[in-house]
């Protein structure tokens, strides 16, 4: 019986470690010899949201220019989110819905 439990434990550990995938497209640093770094974010206000687009233009390892643009966009409304606090109790909270980002680079 102990051997079966030990085997199940080992198989479970192997399955969990096998599921962890490395993100191939995640960037840890920017090539500052000549690149454009872009950051997108959304700030939630009462009935509207603010889309913030930041561009950093790098040339010869120096920040050549930084462009920040703010656009007002409609809010998606509220949603209920369930979660657990540090004591293990379940809570439901109302929060703003977030936009999904889809980016096309040419």
């Amino acid at each position: 019986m102990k051997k079966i439990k030990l085997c199940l434990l080992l198989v479970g550990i192997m399955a969990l470690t096998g599921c962890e995938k490395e993100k191939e497209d995640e960037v840890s640093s920017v090539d500052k010899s000549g690149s454009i770094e872009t950051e997108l974010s959304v700030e939630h206000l009462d009935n509207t949201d603010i889309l913030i687009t930041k561009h950093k233009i790098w040339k010869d390892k120096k920040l050549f220019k930084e462009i920040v643009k703010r656009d007002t966009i409609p809010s998606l409304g509220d949603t209920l989110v369930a979660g657990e606090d540090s004591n293990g109790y379940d809570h439901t909270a109302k929060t703003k819905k977030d936009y999904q980002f889809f980016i096309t680079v040419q």
Side-chain angles (χ1 to χ4, degrees):
M1 190 62 145
K2 287 184 180 183
K3 288 183 181 181
I4 293 174
K5 288 182 181 179
L6 181 62
C7 287
L8 288 175
L9 179 65
L10 290 175
V11 169
I13 291 172
M14 287 178 13
L16 286 175
T17 57
C19 291
E20 294 177 13
K21 291 187 178 181
E22 186 177 319
K23 294 181 181 179
E24 294 178 17
D25 58 350
E26 187 174 343
V27 178
S28 59
S29 65
V30 177
D31 178 14
K32 296 180 180 177
S33 61
S35 61
I36 300 172
E37 181 181 357
T38 300
E39 177 185 327
L40 299 173
S41 61
V42 175
E43 239 178 58
H44 298 295
L45 297 178
D46 293 331
N47 295 327
T48 60
D49 290 341
I50 306 294
L51 173 64
I52 302 167
T53 308
K54 296 179 183 179
H55 301 286
K56 290 182 180 178
I57 300 165
W58 297 95
K59 182 182 178 199
D60 299 327
K61 301 195 186 279
K62 294 180 183 174
L63 182 60
F64 174 73
K65 189 174 190 177
E66 187 169 1
I67 302 166
V68 179
K69 185 175 179 185
R70 296 173 182 267
D71 293 306
T72 304
I73 56 177
S75 174
L76 295 175
D78 295 330
T79 186
L80 293 176
V81 177
E84 187 176 293
D85 64 10
S86 59
N87 296 327
Y89 295 108
D90 290 332
H91 295 283
T92 303
K94 187 166 76 168
T95 185
K96 299 281 186 185
K97 287 184 184 176
D98 287 323
Y99 277 91
Q100 296 181 54
F101 289 98
F102 296 91
I103 299 172
T104 303
V105 178
Q106 298 180 352

